[in-house]
Amino acid sequence: MQKKRLSWVDVTKGFLMILVVMGHYPGELDFPLATYIYWFHMPAFFILSGMFFKPILEKGATKKVIHKRFMQLIVPYLFFLVMITVVRYGIEIGSGNLDISWYLSDLWTLVIGGRFVRGAYGVFWFVTTLFFAYLVFLWMTKYFNRTKQIAILVAFYLIAHIESLIAMRLIGGGPAEASQTIPMLWNMDVAMMAVVYFALGYYMKNIWMDITKPWLIVGVIGSVAAISLDWFNIIDYHLSMKFLRYDHLVFDLFIPLSFTLVFVGVFQFLSSYLSMNWLRRIEKHSLSIMYLHIFTYIVLKDFFEYGFIEFTIFGIIVPIIASIIIQKLVPHGKLFLGGFSPKKRKTPSTQ
């Protein structure tokens, strides 16, 4: 059971990581692929993360658990942040940019992070948001019963939508510009929305672990209905967690859940018949792919003709190569790729 579970989870995450790369293609496509990808791919990651959440039952274990998540999420975040920044600044200096004020302004933006960092850092918001969503849910499950947890989640969900209304309607303009008028370190406010998806992964664990035919049908109907409504211009739905764009109280739950049901169900079925090791390998290097696929494009675009296919291939292959190099050549390379595992204390043997 454990082997089967890990197989389909890795395969699903590997596929979602491909969608992350595709969703950041900067060119125009005839089909609104990016729009549909953004409907569910980030919520799906939070849902899958919530599936494996374990409430703290032992006294004194909170600090250990938080330390573990910090090492697995924030340490790689800081490593890739520094690595990309060093290369960027080297390129800037090489091109003649010696403006100290430019570097100070850029560094301040990197410190704030979240939705305020763009370009090569476009995906960095996800890791900090996941970290804070985890902390919030850890706090909720430790001090409140299920009824109060749900009440808190409803409050977070409503507050997140109110914040989105303020940004998208009252402030106006593009989502990126509007959301950046609301200052927030590391997109901590997005954790209010993320923790809802995270909680759905935890609360619905029995459903996610074995998507039955009725649930798969529900997901297919919901997904097809959403695409059809959008295709015929009956709805104009968008979801951008990074930029606080939550368009609809019902659709923001219904659409991501429908698509996630479909893809989890499909990959559970396929994994029972096919090995799909190539997707598992992609998942194995997913952290590097997430952090480096946009930067790969920025570095290589002056040397290659970049279309959608090339963007996707380079955005996966180059970070995988970088991941292998980091593991083999960089001291503590596995740690910088999220491979932290706390040492287990040896119990003295009794004779």
Side-chain angles (χ1 to χ4, degrees):
M1 180 68 183
Q2 181 77 356
K3 183 177 180 181
K4 178 182 177 182
R5 176 182 66 81
L6 290 176
S7 175
W8 70 258
V9 170
D10 290 345
V11 166
T12 305
K13 285 185 175 181
F15 178 78
L16 289 173
M17 188 51 60
I18 294 175
L19 294 185
V20 169
V21 177
M22 290 179 171
H24 288 123
Y25 175 62
E28 296 291 333
L29 296 174
D30 295 332
F31 183 76
L33 179 63
T35 297
Y36 297 147
I37 287 174
Y38 275 77
W39 280 6
F40 73 96
H41 75 317
M42 286 294 105
F45 275 117
F46 289 114
I47 289 170
L48 290 173
S49 297
M51 281 172 46
F52 298 102
F53 175 83
K54 294 181 179 180
I56 294 178
L57 302 177
E58 300 177 7
K59 291 184 178 180
T62 304
K63 289 184 179 179
K64 293 180 181 178
V65 171
I66 293 175
H67 175 256
K68 178 181 177 180
R69 297 301 288 174
F70 181 89
M71 297 299 292
Q72 291 176 333
L73 293 174
I74 304 302
V75 168
Y77 171 93
L78 296 173
F79 170 75
F80 281 100
L81 182 75
V82 171
M83 184 177 71
I84 291 174
T85 303
V86 168
V87 176
R88 279 185 60 237
Y89 286 4
I91 294 173
E92 289 291 335
I93 293 172
S95 64
N97 183 3
L98 302 177
D99 185 357
I100 298 299
S101 62
W102 183 90
Y103 291 99
L104 292 175
S105 176
D106 189 74
L107 284 171
W108 177 244
T109 302
L110 296 180
V111 169
I112 298 174
R115 54 185 169 270
F116 294 91
V117 286
R118 309 289 296 278
Y121 310 95
V123 296
F124 277 57
W125 70 274
F126 170 76
V127 171
T128 55
T129 300
L130 176 60
F131 180 68
F132 289 117
Y134 177 84
L135 294 183
V136 170
F137 199 63
L138 188 68
W139 163 74
M140 289 170 52
T141 53
K142 184 175 182 180
Y143 295 107
F144 302 99
N145 59 32
R146 181 64 62 88
T147 301
K148 291 180 180 178
Q149 291 171 27
I150 293 174
I152 293 171
L153 290 170
V154 170
F156 282 156
Y157 190 73
L158 294 176
I159 293 171
H161 279 81
I162 291 171
E163 184 183 31
S164 180
L165 283 174
I166 293 172
M168 300 301 115
R169 303 290 175 83
L170 295 182
I171 297 172
E177 293 72 23
S179 63
Q180 288 179 7
T181 62
I182 302 177
M184 182 59 63
L185 178 69
W186 282 10
N187 262 22
M188 284 192 288
D189 50 353
V190 180
M192 289 189 295
M193 192 70 169
V195 74
V196 174
Y197 296 124
F198 190 94
L200 288 171
Y202 175 71
Y203 295 150
M204 297 171 59
K205 182 175 180 178
N206 291 336
I207 295 175
W208 298 119
M209 284 298 181
D210 186 15
I211 303 294
T212 59
K213 189 175 181 180
W215 278 113
L216 183 59
I217 292 173
V218 169
V220 170
I221 292 174
S223 302
V224 172
I227 292 176
S228 299
L229 291 172
D230 178 77
W231 193 256
F232 292 106
N233 297 317
I234 299 173
I235 63 171
D236 182 24
Y237 177 73
H238 296 272
L239 179 64
S240 176
M241 295 184 69
K242 176 181 179 179
F243 293 125
L244 309 178
R245 186 172 185 180
Y246 319 126
D247 271 6
H248 199 281
L249 275 172
V250 176
F251 286 167
D252 290 338
L253 290 178
F254 175 76
I255 292 178
L257 284 174
S258 295
F259 276 86
T260 304
L261 279 169
V262 171
F263 283 103
V264 169
V266 167
F267 284 116
Q268 281 181 354
F269 174 78
L270 292 176
S271 296
S272 63
Y273 295 98
L274 304 171
S275 65
M276 307 187 76
N277 284 330
W278 64 279
L279 281 175
R280 297 181 69 181
R281 292 192 183 97
I282 288 175
E283 193 281 330
K284 182 180 179 181
H285 301 284
S286 59
L287 204 64
S288 180
I289 294 171
M290 181 185 68
Y291 282 121
L292 296 179
H293 69 276
I294 298 177
F295 189 55
T296 297
Y297 167 74
I298 292 173
V299 172
L300 297 181
K301 65 180 180 179
D302 293 332
F303 302 96
F304 299 96
E305 288 291 331
Y306 253 63
F308 176 73
I309 301 298
E310 293 81 6
F311 177 87
T312 304
I313 293 174
F314 279 117
I316 294 172
I317 299 299
V318 174
I320 287 177
I321 294 173
S323 177
I324 295 171
I325 292 173
I326 291 169
Q327 290 184 55
K328 293 185 177 297
L329 300 182
V330 176
H332 308 293
K334 290 184 178 180
L335 175 65
F336 295 138
L337 293 172
F340 173 79
S341 181
K343 295 181 179 179
K344 295 182 179 180
R345 291 183 179 181
K346 294 182 179 181
T347 55
S349 58
T350 56
Q351 295 182 351

